[in-house]
Amino acid sequence: AGIPTPDYICISIQHPDPDPQKVKDLGFPLVVKPVCAGSSVGMSIVPNEKELPAAIEKGFQNDDTLILEQYIKGTELTCGVLGNQEIEALPVIEIIPGEGHEFFDYHAKYVAGATDEICPARIDEQTTQKVHQLAVEAHRTLCLKGYSRTDMLLKDDQLYVLETNTIPGMTATSLFPQSAAKAGYEFGVLMDKLIELAIEENKRTNLRRAQ
Ligand SMILES: Nc1ncnc2c1ncn2[C@@H]1O[C@H](COP(=O)(O)OP(=O)(O)O)[C@@H](O)[C@H]1O
Ligand SMILES: [Mg+2]
């Protein structure tokens, strides 16, 4: 879909050994992650070839397919979108994992205060526009409805999409509600909005089925 991502290869439990040349092309450090898990579970940042087999084994404990991905050392950004036909991009959040966190790992995600979250992100207007555009494009490409949140990395003015969260965390302190509040949707208003969007989409789909 023309959405920029880090370079990657996939391996499966049936063919678990990655092509050495392709691993070389990705370079080290590289990121090993289960395709279907979330919350950084089963994921490793692998510093060298020697530690790759252990990381692959850990990954396969969580999923039958793994992504081996080029490591991008950049600024971590995430952007929520809201809407059905017309999609609104919410203010971009910058994520800074705290001391002792090599990346936005499970602990950094779920322990209060383990991560700094800055909204709106400290990026220029042009980059903000690009982030918004990519978050909307990723949402549309994946045929999502109502809302989603896309994680990205920014390095040397280049954006890399990591993933789109189809059911982003929705506690009052989660990233999506934080950013929605900045756009004027306080938590209760956001819940009403999500329900309205779901009903609207359901009506539209039922109408189409009836035709
Ligand atoms: N290619 C990468 N380069 C650098 N860091 C990465 C990369 N992929 C993931 N990370 C780090 O790992 C975290 C989790 O990865 P992500 O792809 O968002 O999966 P999930 O959040 O579903 O576990 C990211 O927020 C980021 O901190
Ligand atoms: Mg993520």
Side-chain angles (χ1 to χ4, degrees), residues 23-24 26-32 43-56 58 68-71 102-103:
V23 170
K24 218 173 186 181
L26 292 174
F28 285 93
L30 64 73
V31 186
V32 174
M43 214 191 100
S44 306
I45 295 179
V46 185
N48 53 50
E49 201 176 341
K50 203 171 126 255
E51 293 181 40
L52 187 58
I56 289 177
K58 178 171 149 194
L68 272 53
E69 199 173 73
Q70 175 195 13
Y71 176 78
E102 190 184 6
F103 64 103

Side-chain angles (χ1 to χ4, degrees), residues 3-6 69 134-135 138 150-153 159-164:
I3 293 171
T5 69
E69 199 173 73
L134 282 177
T150 294
D151 296 340
M152 301 176 209
L153 291 170
L159 287 163
Y160 299 85
V161 170
L162 291 180
E163 62 154 351
T164 296

Side-chain angles (χ1 to χ4, degrees), residues 34-127:
V35 164
C36 289
S39 300
S40 307
V41 171
M43 214 191 100
S44 306
I45 295 179
V46 185
N48 53 50
E49 201 176 341
K50 203 171 126 255
E51 293 181 40
L52 187 58
I56 289 177
E57 195 181 315
K58 178 171 149 194
F60 280 136
Q61 281 162 14
N62 291 275
D63 199 348
D64 287 353
T65 310
L66 305 181
I67 303 177
L68 272 53
E69 199 173 73
Q70 175 195 13
Y71 176 78
I72 308 289
K73 187 163 183 52
T75 304
E76 183 137 6
L77 304 171
T78 192
C79 182
V81 303
L82 193 56
N84 285 330
Q85 305 300 97
E86 288 202 1
I87 299 167
E88 174 186 357
L90 299 174
V92 181
I93 303 182
E94 178 180 345
I95 297 164
I96 308 172
E99 289 282 311
H101 292 281
E102 190 184 6
F103 64 103
F104 197 29
D105 62 13
Y106 188 85
H107 181 271
K109 276 176 178 164
Y110 295 112
V111 173
T115 298
D116 268 340
E117 293 149 359
I118 302 174
C119 185
R122 299 165 302 174
I123 53 176
D124 60 34
E125 184 50 36
Q126 202 187 349
T127 310

Side-chain angles (χ1 to χ4, degrees), residues 81 83-85 87 135-150 163-168 201 204:
V81 303
N84 285 330
Q85 305 300 97
I87 299 167
V136 171
E137 273 178 36
H139 178 91
R140 288 221 163 96
T141 302
L142 295 167
C143 306
L144 304 181
K145 299 286 188 279
Y147 65 112
S148 69
R149 206 197 77 229
T150 294
E163 62 154 351
T164 296
N165 298 282
T166 53
I167 307 181
E201 182 60 22
R204 222 173 49 84

